[in-house]
mmCIF file of all heavy atoms in Angstrom:
data_model
loop_
_atom_site.group_PDB
_atom_site.id
_atom_site.type_symbol
_atom_site.label_atom_id
_atom_site.label_comp_id
_atom_site.label_asym_id
_atom_site.label_seq_id
_atom_site.Cartn_x
_atom_site.Cartn_y
_atom_site.Cartn_z
ATOM 1 N N THR A 17 6.339 -0.852 -0.971
ATOM 2 C CA THR A 17 6.168 -2.200 -0.401
ATOM 3 C C THR A 17 4.887 -2.373 0.398
ATOM 4 O O THR A 17 4.618 -3.456 0.905
ATOM 5 C CB THR A 17 7.359 -2.561 0.503
ATOM 6 O OG1 THR A 17 7.459 -1.593 1.549
ATOM 7 C CG2 THR A 17 8.661 -2.597 -0.292
ATOM 8 N N GLY A 18 4.095 -1.306 0.525
ATOM 9 C CA GLY A 18 2.849 -1.423 1.271
ATOM 10 C C GLY A 18 2.071 -0.123 1.244
ATOM 11 O O GLY A 18 2.551 0.903 0.762
ATOM 12 N N CYS A 19 0.847 -0.198 1.758
ATOM 13 C CA CYS A 19 0.006 0.997 1.839
ATOM 14 C C CYS A 19 -0.409 1.219 3.285
ATOM 15 O O CYS A 19 -0.592 0.279 4.048
ATOM 16 C CB CYS A 19 -1.211 0.881 0.934
ATOM 17 S SG CYS A 19 -2.376 -0.390 1.421
ATOM 18 N N LYS A 20 -0.524 2.506 3.621
ATOM 19 C CA LYS A 20 -0.979 2.904 4.945
ATOM 20 C C LYS A 20 -2.280 3.677 4.772
ATOM 21 O O LYS A 20 -2.397 4.501 3.863
ATOM 22 C CB LYS A 20 0.061 3.794 5.625
ATOM 23 C CG LYS A 20 1.394 3.119 5.877
ATOM 24 C CD LYS A 20 2.369 4.058 6.515
ATOM 25 C CE LYS A 20 3.302 4.784 5.638
ATOM 26 N NZ LYS A 20 4.015 4.350 4.565
ATOM 27 N N VAL A 21 -3.231 3.408 5.647
ATOM 28 C CA VAL A 21 -4.503 4.126 5.639
ATOM 29 C C VAL A 21 -4.774 4.571 7.071
ATOM 30 O O VAL A 21 -4.591 3.795 8.009
ATOM 31 C CB VAL A 21 -5.649 3.227 5.122
ATOM 32 C CG1 VAL A 21 -6.981 3.938 5.230
ATOM 33 C CG2 VAL A 21 -5.398 2.807 3.682
ATOM 34 N N ALA A 22 -5.178 5.822 7.230
ATOM 35 C CA ALA A 22 -5.473 6.336 8.570
ATOM 36 C C ALA A 22 -6.765 7.144 8.536
ATOM 37 O O ALA A 22 -7.066 7.823 7.554
ATOM 38 C CB ALA A 22 -4.330 7.202 9.081
ATOM 39 N N LEU A 23 -7.502 7.052 9.619
ATOM 40 C CA LEU A 23 -8.759 7.777 9.797
ATOM 41 C C LEU A 23 -8.559 8.779 10.925
ATOM 42 O O LEU A 23 -8.092 8.405 12.007
ATOM 43 C CB LEU A 23 -9.877 6.788 10.137
ATOM 44 C CG LEU A 23 -11.294 7.314 10.200
ATOM 45 C CD1 LEU A 23 -11.757 7.759 8.808
ATOM 46 C CD2 LEU A 23 -12.226 6.243 10.749
ATOM 47 N N PHE A 24 -8.881 10.052 10.667
ATOM 48 C CA PHE A 24 -8.681 11.118 11.643
ATOM 49 C C PHE A 24 -9.993 11.840 11.921
ATOM 50 O O PHE A 24 -10.831 11.992 11.031
ATOM 51 C CB PHE A 24 -7.680 12.156 11.113
ATOM 52 C CG PHE A 24 -6.289 11.630 10.945
ATOM 53 C CD1 PHE A 24 -5.890 11.077 9.743
ATOM 54 C CD2 PHE A 24 -5.383 11.683 11.986
ATOM 55 C CE1 PHE A 24 -4.599 10.593 9.575
ATOM 56 C CE2 PHE A 24 -4.092 11.197 11.834
ATOM 57 C CZ PHE A 24 -3.705 10.647 10.620
ATOM 58 N N SER A 25 -10.119 12.333 13.148
ATOM 59 C CA SER A 25 -11.243 13.213 13.468
ATOM 60 C C SER A 25 -10.949 14.576 12.846
ATOM 61 O O SER A 25 -9.812 14.854 12.430
ATOM 62 C CB SER A 25 -11.393 13.363 14.985
ATOM 63 O OG SER A 25 -10.338 14.150 15.513
ATOM 64 N N LEU A 26 -11.946 15.444 12.804
ATOM 65 C CA LEU A 26 -11.738 16.793 12.270
ATOM 66 C C LEU A 26 -10.792 17.610 13.150
ATOM 67 O O LEU A 26 -10.240 18.613 12.703
ATOM 68 C CB LEU A 26 -13.080 17.514 12.117
ATOM 69 C CG LEU A 26 -14.034 16.917 11.080
ATOM 70 C CD1 LEU A 26 -15.331 17.722 11.030
ATOM 71 C CD2 LEU A 26 -13.395 16.829 9.712
ATOM 72 N N GLN A 27 -10.587 17.168 14.397
ATOM 73 C CA GLN A 27 -9.655 17.842 15.303
ATOM 74 C C GLN A 27 -8.232 17.297 15.164
ATOM 75 O O GLN A 27 -7.322 17.740 15.860
ATOM 76 C CB GLN A 27 -10.122 17.681 16.754
ATOM 77 C CG GLN A 27 -11.410 18.430 17.084
ATOM 78 C CD GLN A 27 -12.640 17.774 16.487
ATOM 79 O OE1 GLN A 27 -12.733 16.553 16.403
ATOM 80 N NE2 GLN A 27 -13.579 18.589 16.049
ATOM 81 N N GLY A 28 -8.021 16.317 14.289
ATOM 82 C CA GLY A 28 -6.684 15.781 14.048
ATOM 83 C C GLY A 28 -6.331 14.557 14.866
ATOM 84 O O GLY A 28 -5.213 14.070 14.796
ATOM 85 N N GLU A 29 -7.263 14.040 15.656
ATOM 86 C CA GLU A 29 -7.006 12.835 16.453
ATOM 87 C C GLU A 29 -7.099 11.604 15.554
ATOM 88 O O GLU A 29 -8.070 11.448 14.819
ATOM 89 C CB GLU A 29 -8.048 12.724 17.564
ATOM 90 C CG GLU A 29 -7.933 11.443 18.373
ATOM 91 C CD GLU A 29 -9.109 11.256 19.317
ATOM 92 O OE1 GLU A 29 -10.011 12.101 19.362
ATOM 93 O OE2 GLU A 29 -9.114 10.221 20.001
ATOM 94 N N MET A 30 -6.068 10.740 15.605
ATOM 95 C CA MET A 30 -6.112 9.513 14.818
ATOM 96 C C MET A 30 -7.102 8.551 15.448
ATOM 97 O O MET A 30 -6.979 8.202 16.614
ATOM 98 C CB MET A 30 -4.739 8.845 14.705
ATOM 99 C CG MET A 30 -4.769 7.634 13.772
ATOM 100 S SD MET A 30 -3.214 6.738 13.637
ATOM 101 C CE MET A 30 -2.159 7.954 12.911
ATOM 102 N N LEU A 31 -8.096 8.136 14.668
ATOM 103 C CA LEU A 31 -9.119 7.219 15.152
ATOM 104 C C LEU A 31 -8.759 5.770 14.885
ATOM 105 O O LEU A 31 -9.102 4.886 15.663
ATOM 106 C CB LEU A 31 -10.465 7.547 14.488
ATOM 107 C CG LEU A 31 -10.965 8.980 14.662
ATOM 108 C CD1 LEU A 31 -12.212 9.209 13.835
ATOM 109 C CD2 LEU A 31 -11.205 9.276 16.135
ATOM 110 N N ALA A 32 -8.074 5.518 13.772
ATOM 111 C CA ALA A 32 -7.683 4.153 13.402
ATOM 112 C C ALA A 32 -6.642 4.228 12.298
ATOM 113 O O ALA A 32 -6.577 5.215 11.552
ATOM 114 C CB ALA A 32 -8.894 3.366 12.914
ATOM 115 N N SER A 33 -5.826 3.165 12.198
ATOM 116 C CA SER A 33 -4.857 3.085 11.101
ATOM 117 C C SER A 33 -4.634 1.625 10.739
ATOM 118 O O SER A 33 -4.888 0.729 11.541
ATOM 119 C CB SER A 33 -3.533 3.754 11.483
ATOM 120 O OG SER A 33 -2.891 3.039 12.507
ATOM 121 N N ALA A 34 -4.172 1.411 9.517
ATOM 122 C CA ALA A 34 -3.896 0.055 9.040
ATOM 123 C C ALA A 34 -2.753 0.116 8.034
ATOM 124 O O ALA A 34 -2.553 1.130 7.361
ATOM 125 C CB ALA A 34 -5.138 -0.548 8.394
ATOM 126 N N TYR A 35 -2.026 -0.992 7.952
ATOM 127 C CA TYR A 35 -0.926 -1.124 6.995
ATOM 128 C C TYR A 35 -1.040 -2.486 6.326
ATOM 129 O O TYR A 35 -1.233 -3.501 7.020
ATOM 130 C CB TYR A 35 0.423 -0.999 7.714
ATOM 131 C CG TYR A 35 1.612 -1.199 6.801
ATOM 132 C CD1 TYR A 35 2.002 -0.195 5.924
ATOM 133 C CD2 TYR A 35 2.338 -2.383 6.822
ATOM 134 C CE1 TYR A 35 3.091 -0.366 5.084
ATOM 135 C CE2 TYR A 35 3.428 -2.560 5.987
ATOM 136 C CZ TYR A 35 3.807 -1.552 5.115
ATOM 137 O OH TYR A 35 4.877 -1.722 4.278
ATOM 138 N N CYS A 36 -0.958 -2.520 5.022
ATOM 139 C CA CYS A 36 -0.983 -3.780 4.266
ATOM 140 C C CYS A 36 0.229 -3.813 3.335
ATOM 141 O O CYS A 36 0.478 -2.857 2.608
ATOM 142 C CB CYS A 36 -2.256 -3.903 3.438
ATOM 143 S SG CYS A 36 -3.741 -4.148 4.398
ATOM 144 N N GLU A 37 0.969 -4.910 3.384
ATOM 145 C CA GLU A 37 2.143 -5.071 2.529
ATOM 146 C C GLU A 37 1.793 -5.788 1.234
ATOM 147 O O GLU A 37 0.812 -6.520 1.163
ATOM 148 C CB GLU A 37 3.216 -5.882 3.247
ATOM 149 C CG GLU A 37 3.877 -5.161 4.377
ATOM 150 C CD GLU A 37 5.040 -5.936 4.966
ATOM 151 O OE1 GLU A 37 5.359 -7.048 4.491
ATOM 152 O OE2 GLU A 37 5.638 -5.415 5.915
ATOM 153 N N TYR A 38 2.613 -5.564 0.228
ATOM 154 C CA TYR A 38 2.537 -6.301 -1.024
ATOM 155 C C TYR A 38 3.955 -6.416 -1.563
ATOM 156 O O TYR A 38 4.854 -5.681 -1.163
ATOM 157 C CB TYR A 38 1.591 -5.632 -2.033
ATOM 158 C CG TYR A 38 1.631 -4.116 -2.040
ATOM 159 C CD1 TYR A 38 2.637 -3.420 -2.675
ATOM 160 C CD2 TYR A 38 0.649 -3.396 -1.383
ATOM 161 C CE1 TYR A 38 2.673 -2.036 -2.669
ATOM 162 C CE2 TYR A 38 0.662 -2.013 -1.375
ATOM 163 C CZ TYR A 38 1.680 -1.336 -2.022
ATOM 164 O OH TYR A 38 1.720 0.027 -2.006
ATOM 165 N N ASP A 39 4.157 -7.359 -2.456
ATOM 166 C CA ASP A 39 5.489 -7.603 -3.023
ATOM 167 C C ASP A 39 5.675 -6.831 -4.318
ATOM 168 O O ASP A 39 4.725 -6.523 -5.018
ATOM 169 C CB ASP A 39 5.671 -9.099 -3.323
ATOM 170 C CG ASP A 39 5.702 -9.945 -2.066
ATOM 171 O OD1 ASP A 39 6.217 -9.463 -1.036
ATOM 172 O OD2 ASP A 39 5.203 -11.076 -2.113
ATOM 173 N N PHE A 40 6.921 -6.547 -4.613
ATOM 174 C CA PHE A 40 7.233 -6.028 -5.940
ATOM 175 C C PHE A 40 7.980 -7.121 -6.687
ATOM 176 O O PHE A 40 8.611 -7.989 -6.088
ATOM 177 C CB PHE A 40 8.038 -4.717 -5.872
ATOM 178 C CG PHE A 40 9.436 -4.856 -5.348
ATOM 179 C CD1 PHE A 40 10.492 -5.112 -6.193
ATOM 180 C CD2 PHE A 40 9.690 -4.718 -3.987
ATOM 181 C CE1 PHE A 40 11.784 -5.241 -5.707
ATOM 182 C CE2 PHE A 40 10.972 -4.833 -3.487
ATOM 183 C CZ PHE A 40 12.026 -5.101 -4.354
ATOM 184 N N GLN A 41 7.852 -7.107 -7.991
ATOM 185 C CA GLN A 41 8.516 -8.099 -8.819
ATOM 186 C C GLN A 41 9.762 -7.480 -9.444
ATOM 187 O O GLN A 41 9.790 -6.282 -9.738
ATOM 188 C CB GLN A 41 7.593 -8.603 -9.946
ATOM 189 C CG GLN A 41 6.391 -9.383 -9.463
ATOM 190 C CD GLN A 41 5.262 -8.480 -9.015
ATOM 191 O OE1 GLN A 41 4.955 -7.504 -9.674
ATOM 192 N NE2 GLN A 41 4.655 -8.795 -7.884
ATOM 193 N N SER A 42 10.769 -8.314 -9.638
ATOM 194 C CA SER A 42 12.000 -7.891 -10.282
ATOM 195 C C SER A 42 12.283 -8.862 -11.419
ATOM 196 O O SER A 42 13.022 -9.831 -11.253
ATOM 197 C CB SER A 42 13.145 -7.879 -9.264
ATOM 198 O OG SER A 42 14.322 -7.392 -9.865
ATOM 199 N N PRO A 43 11.690 -8.620 -12.601
ATOM 200 C CA PRO A 43 11.820 -9.562 -13.704
ATOM 201 C C PRO A 43 13.239 -9.691 -14.253
ATOM 202 O O PRO A 43 13.566 -10.691 -14.887
ATOM 203 C CB PRO A 43 10.871 -9.009 -14.769
ATOM 204 C CG PRO A 43 10.653 -7.586 -14.412
ATOM 205 C CD PRO A 43 10.851 -7.478 -12.935
ATOM 206 N N GLN A 44 14.072 -8.707 -13.993
ATOM 207 C CA GLN A 44 15.485 -8.800 -14.359
ATOM 208 C C GLN A 44 16.258 -7.824 -13.485
ATOM 209 O O GLN A 44 15.667 -6.918 -12.899
ATOM 210 C CB GLN A 44 15.693 -8.539 -15.847
ATOM 211 C CG GLN A 44 15.447 -7.124 -16.305
ATOM 212 C CD GLN A 44 15.642 -6.990 -17.806
ATOM 213 O OE1 GLN A 44 15.061 -7.740 -18.569
ATOM 214 N NE2 GLN A 44 16.451 -6.055 -18.219
ATOM 215 N N PRO A 45 17.562 -8.006 -13.361
ATOM 216 C CA PRO A 45 18.358 -7.135 -12.487
ATOM 217 C C PRO A 45 18.156 -5.655 -12.817
ATOM 218 O O PRO A 45 18.123 -5.264 -13.988
ATOM 219 C CB PRO A 45 19.797 -7.573 -12.766
ATOM 220 C CG PRO A 45 19.663 -8.995 -13.228
ATOM 221 C CD PRO A 45 18.373 -9.037 -14.004
ATOM 222 N N GLY A 46 17.961 -4.864 -11.761
ATOM 223 C CA GLY A 46 17.779 -3.430 -11.924
ATOM 224 C C GLY A 46 16.348 -3.003 -12.204
ATOM 225 O O GLY A 46 16.067 -1.815 -12.296
ATOM 226 N N TRP A 47 15.450 -3.956 -12.337
ATOM 227 C CA TRP A 47 14.043 -3.648 -12.596
ATOM 228 C C TRP A 47 13.229 -3.883 -11.339
ATOM 229 O O TRP A 47 13.519 -4.782 -10.564
ATOM 230 C CB TRP A 47 13.480 -4.544 -13.689
ATOM 231 C CG TRP A 47 13.926 -4.234 -15.092
ATOM 232 C CD1 TRP A 47 15.079 -3.619 -15.483
ATOM 233 C CD2 TRP A 47 13.221 -4.554 -16.292
ATOM 234 N NE1 TRP A 47 15.148 -3.546 -16.841
ATOM 235 C CE2 TRP A 47 14.007 -4.117 -17.373
ATOM 236 C CE3 TRP A 47 12.020 -5.175 -16.556
ATOM 237 C CZ2 TRP A 47 13.618 -4.268 -18.683
ATOM 238 C CZ3 TRP A 47 11.637 -5.330 -17.879
ATOM 239 C CH2 TRP A 47 12.420 -4.869 -18.929
ATOM 240 N N ALA A 48 12.177 -3.114 -11.183
ATOM 241 C CA ALA A 48 11.204 -3.337 -10.107
ATOM 242 C C ALA A 48 9.842 -2.905 -10.633
ATOM 243 O O ALA A 48 9.724 -1.861 -11.276
ATOM 244 C CB ALA A 48 11.564 -2.542 -8.863
ATOM 245 N N GLN A 49 8.847 -3.730 -10.404
ATOM 246 C CA GLN A 49 7.498 -3.371 -10.829
ATOM 247 C C GLN A 49 6.491 -3.862 -9.807
ATOM 248 O O GLN A 49 6.767 -4.787 -9.046
ATOM 249 C CB GLN A 49 7.186 -3.925 -12.218
ATOM 250 C CG GLN A 49 7.280 -5.431 -12.319
ATOM 251 C CD GLN A 49 7.217 -5.918 -13.769
ATOM 252 O OE1 GLN A 49 7.784 -5.294 -14.665
ATOM 253 N NE2 GLN A 49 6.526 -7.019 -13.983
ATOM 254 N N LEU A 50 5.350 -3.208 -9.782
ATOM 255 C CA LEU A 50 4.288 -3.537 -8.836
ATOM 256 C C LEU A 50 3.071 -4.069 -9.592
ATOM 257 O O LEU A 50 2.803 -3.655 -10.718
ATOM 258 C CB LEU A 50 3.880 -2.303 -8.038
ATOM 259 C CG LEU A 50 4.957 -1.713 -7.138
ATOM 260 C CD1 LEU A 50 4.523 -0.366 -6.595
ATOM 261 C CD2 LEU A 50 5.273 -2.662 -6.002
ATOM 262 N N ASP A 51 2.342 -4.959 -8.949
ATOM 263 C CA ASP A 51 1.101 -5.497 -9.494
ATOM 264 C C ASP A 51 -0.034 -4.581 -9.046
ATOM 265 O O ASP A 51 -0.384 -4.555 -7.860
ATOM 266 C CB ASP A 51 0.905 -6.926 -8.985
ATOM 267 C CG ASP A 51 -0.384 -7.562 -9.453
ATOM 268 O OD1 ASP A 51 -1.210 -6.891 -10.109
ATOM 269 O OD2 ASP A 51 -0.575 -8.760 -9.158
ATOM 270 N N SER A 52 -0.608 -3.832 -9.971
ATOM 271 C CA SER A 52 -1.640 -2.854 -9.607
ATOM 272 C C SER A 52 -2.864 -3.513 -8.971
ATOM 273 O O SER A 52 -3.479 -2.934 -8.077
ATOM 274 C CB SER A 52 -2.056 -2.014 -10.819
ATOM 275 O OG SER A 52 -2.552 -2.843 -11.851
ATOM 276 N N ALA A 53 -3.206 -4.727 -9.392
ATOM 277 C CA ALA A 53 -4.352 -5.426 -8.789
ATOM 278 C C ALA A 53 -4.068 -5.761 -7.324
ATOM 279 O O ALA A 53 -4.944 -5.617 -6.463
ATOM 280 C CB ALA A 53 -4.679 -6.695 -9.572
ATOM 281 N N ALA A 54 -2.839 -6.182 -7.026
ATOM 282 C CA ALA A 54 -2.462 -6.495 -5.639
ATOM 283 C C ALA A 54 -2.484 -5.228 -4.778
ATOM 284 O O ALA A 54 -2.928 -5.264 -3.623
ATOM 285 C CB ALA A 54 -1.081 -7.143 -5.597
ATOM 286 N N ILE A 55 -2.023 -4.126 -5.330
ATOM 287 C CA ILE A 55 -2.041 -2.861 -4.592
ATOM 288 C C ILE A 55 -3.480 -2.452 -4.300
ATOM 289 O O ILE A 55 -3.816 -2.072 -3.173
ATOM 290 C CB ILE A 55 -1.314 -1.752 -5.374
ATOM 291 C CG1 ILE A 55 0.178 -2.077 -5.451
ATOM 292 C CG2 ILE A 55 -1.538 -0.386 -4.729
ATOM 293 C CD1 ILE A 55 0.943 -1.178 -6.384
ATOM 294 N N TRP A 56 -4.353 -2.521 -5.292
ATOM 295 C CA TRP A 56 -5.749 -2.134 -5.107
ATOM 296 C C TRP A 56 -6.415 -3.001 -4.042
ATOM 297 O O TRP A 56 -7.158 -2.492 -3.198
ATOM 298 C CB TRP A 56 -6.490 -2.204 -6.434
ATOM 299 C CG TRP A 56 -7.926 -1.806 -6.358
ATOM 300 C CD1 TRP A 56 -8.985 -2.537 -6.776
ATOM 301 C CD2 TRP A 56 -8.468 -0.595 -5.826
ATOM 302 N NE1 TRP A 56 -10.157 -1.854 -6.543
ATOM 303 C CE2 TRP A 56 -9.872 -0.659 -5.953
ATOM 304 C CE3 TRP A 56 -7.918 0.527 -5.243
ATOM 305 C CZ2 TRP A 56 -10.717 0.363 -5.516
ATOM 306 C CZ3 TRP A 56 -8.762 1.546 -4.812
ATOM 307 C CH2 TRP A 56 -10.137 1.459 -4.950
ATOM 308 N N GLU A 57 -6.143 -4.302 -4.044
ATOM 309 C CA GLU A 57 -6.719 -5.188 -3.020
ATOM 310 C C GLU A 57 -6.217 -4.805 -1.628
ATOM 311 O O GLU A 57 -6.978 -4.809 -0.660
ATOM 312 C CB GLU A 57 -6.407 -6.657 -3.333
ATOM 313 C CG GLU A 57 -7.126 -7.191 -4.558
ATOM 314 C CD GLU A 57 -8.641 -7.028 -4.490
ATOM 315 O OE1 GLU A 57 -9.242 -7.326 -3.435
ATOM 316 O OE2 GLU A 57 -9.227 -6.576 -5.485
ATOM 317 N N ALA A 58 -4.929 -4.478 -1.515
ATOM 318 C CA ALA A 58 -4.363 -4.078 -0.223
ATOM 319 C C ALA A 58 -4.977 -2.762 0.265
ATOM 320 O O ALA A 58 -5.297 -2.618 1.449
ATOM 321 C CB ALA A 58 -2.847 -3.948 -0.337
ATOM 322 N N VAL A 59 -5.149 -1.803 -0.639
ATOM 323 C CA VAL A 59 -5.754 -0.517 -0.272
ATOM 324 C C VAL A 59 -7.188 -0.736 0.216
ATOM 325 O O VAL A 59 -7.593 -0.198 1.256
ATOM 326 C CB VAL A 59 -5.708 0.478 -1.454
ATOM 327 C CG1 VAL A 59 -6.563 1.709 -1.175
ATOM 328 C CG2 VAL A 59 -4.275 0.887 -1.755
ATOM 329 N N LYS A 60 -7.952 -1.533 -0.512
ATOM 330 C CA LYS A 60 -9.335 -1.799 -0.096
ATOM 331 C C LYS A 60 -9.385 -2.493 1.263
ATOM 332 O O LYS A 60 -10.225 -2.154 2.109
ATOM 333 C CB LYS A 60 -10.056 -2.640 -1.154
ATOM 334 C CG LYS A 60 -10.334 -1.887 -2.440
ATOM 335 C CD LYS A 60 -11.248 -2.652 -3.379
ATOM 336 C CE LYS A 60 -10.691 -3.977 -3.818
ATOM 337 N NZ LYS A 60 -11.547 -4.666 -4.809
#
């Protein structure tokens, strides 16, 4: 349902983090699929 990105120093200190959500589609009962273009935009 989303992507997390974190930036760390070489000593392991978290410098920054971000979370972006996206929806999944359910074209019929019991199915779930993700839009790869939406995921890529969220990651970027």
Side-chain angles (χ1 to χ4, degrees):
T17 59
C19 66
K20 297 179 265 317
V21 175
L23 187 67
F24 294 91
S25 71
L26 294 180
Q27 292 73 36
E29 175 189 0
M30 185 183 296
L31 304 174
S33 67
Y35 177 76
C36 290
E37 289 186 1
Y38 38 79
D39 293 326
F40 68 90
Q41 294 82 44
S42 184
Q44 69 182 52
W47 286 26
Q49 59 191 39
L50 296 170
D51 178 355
S52 59
I55 293 170
W56 181 234
E57 291 304 315
V59 169
K60 290 190 299 184

